Amino acid sequence: MPAAQTSARTFVLVHGAWHGGWCWSRVADRLRAAGHQVFTPTQTGLGERKHLLSKDITLDTFRTDIVNVIEAEELSKIVLVGQSFGGLAISGVADVMPERIRHLVYLDSLVVEGGKSPFDSLPADVVAARRKLAEESSGGLSLPNPPPSTFGVLDAEDTEWVKRRLTPHPFSTYTSKQNIVGPVGNNLPRTYVHCTNPSYAALQGSRDWVKAQAGWRWAEIATGHDAMVTAPDELAKMLIGISS
């Protein structure tokens, strides 16, 4: 028992755009079964918090969502995982409370430097398409849900499971600035995980940026962008290995 307690980790898993804490359920089950503590917060305006959708939601809001969970639960030495858009929130948390973090994991994440917005880090054609979709679907309030296949979810049952749960994403988070003072990851131990099969093309710029930086570890998992849905066993094992 003492050995198990010594090796136990605390994971905080942050979802990406259109998702919610629900998307981590399979990975969370596996991590808890291995003796780890797991938190899967949902960011403001999404998932079961979709009733809070507004034009006032920014990247600062998303950072505060996670900071508040860490403070309220009095967590420390956490493995903080951000999938896709969730990478922005974990960068924000690392900037304001680095002392609470053991390791940062950017799971197929969008990476945005301080003073820039997510749209500054995405291809121009993607930005133009998303601006048009947001305006046409909601007057600029939100981005409508893409099909699960966009995230590499191809299994029929998984597709229906994800499709039922996706919610429109607050558009203002794409145009707001990433307010971090230090470098992305704040010089903490950090790993970028590339989901390679299929690779999510819109994030190639972020991957290229990471590869050009010093101090980053690199890992790959042969599944689609929503690895927490399509490969929960492999991902749970990878997260445990990364944090050891």
Side-chain angles (χ1 to χ4, degrees), residues 127-162:
V127 173
R130 291 188 178 179
R131 285 188 182 280
K132 187 171 184 287
L133 277 171
E135 190 59 39
E136 290 177 348
S137 66
S138 63
L141 173 63
S142 62
L143 276 168
N145 313 337
S149 58
T150 302
F151 311 118
V153 178
L154 304 176
D155 175 82
E157 287 189 15
D158 285 349
T159 294
E160 288 304 312
W161 186 77
V162 171

Side-chain angles (χ1 to χ4, degrees), residues 9-15 24 39 41 43 62-63 66-67 69-70 75-83 86-98 100-107 109 188-191 239 242-243:
R9 301 278 179 257
T10 298
F11 291 88
V12 178
L13 311 177
V14 184
H15 64 84
W24 292 106
F39 295 85
Q43 297 185 306
F62 279 8
R63 177 191 66 202
I66 310 307
V67 165
V69 170
I70 294 168
L75 306 180
S76 62
K77 297 181 180 178
I78 63 174
V79 181
L80 185 56
V81 182
Q83 190 262 351
L88 303 174
I90 72 169
S91 291
V93 175
D95 196 60
V96 298
M97 49 170 45
R100 302 285 191 104
I101 299 170
R102 176 188 179 91
H103 202 107
L104 295 165
V105 181
Y106 290 80
L107 177 59
S109 293
L188 290 163
R190 57 202 180 277
T191 300
L239 293 177
I242 286 172
S243 63

Side-chain angles (χ1 to χ4, degrees), residues 157-221:
E157 287 189 15
D158 285 349
T159 294
E160 288 304 312
W161 186 77
V162 171
K163 186 177 180 180
R164 288 196 302 272
R165 289 164 172 78
L166 294 175
T167 51
H169 187 90
F171 184 73
S172 48
T173 59
Y174 274 94
T175 58
S176 64
K177 300 295 183 183
Q178 175 75 304
N179 291 320
I180 57 175
V181 177
V184 175
N186 205 8
N187 297 313
L188 290 163
R190 57 202 180 277
T191 300
Y192 192 99
V193 179
H194 178 199
C195 298
T196 61
N197 187 26
S199 185
Y200 193 50
L203 297 176
Q204 191 56 47
S206 291
R207 298 185 199 109
D208 291 343
W209 183 90
V210 167
K211 286 183 174 181
Q213 310 303 308
W216 288 75
R217 302 180 195 176
W218 185 267
E220 296 183 352
I221 184 168

Side-chain angles (χ1 to χ4, degrees), residues 27-78:
V27 171
D29 285 347
R30 286 156 174 81
L31 291 174
R32 289 177 182 131
H36 304 288
Q37 187 177 35
V38 185
F39 295 85
T40 59
T42 292
Q43 297 185 306
T44 303
L46 291 154
E48 74 277 12
R49 306 180 71 207
K50 63 184 179 181
H51 59 290
L52 300 176
L53 179 65
S54 83
K55 289 187 176 182
D56 297 326
I57 299 170
T58 66
L59 294 182
D60 289 348
T61 311
F62 279 8
R63 177 191 66 202
T64 301
D65 286 334
I66 310 307
V67 165
N68 286 349
V69 170
I70 294 168
E71 289 181 340
E73 300 289 350
E74 299 184 342
L75 306 180
S76 62
K77 297 181 180 178
I78 63 174

Side-chain angles (χ1 to χ4, degrees), residues 1-9 34-36:
M1 183 64 70
Q5 290 175 342
T6 300
S7 62
R9 301 278 179 257
H36 304 288

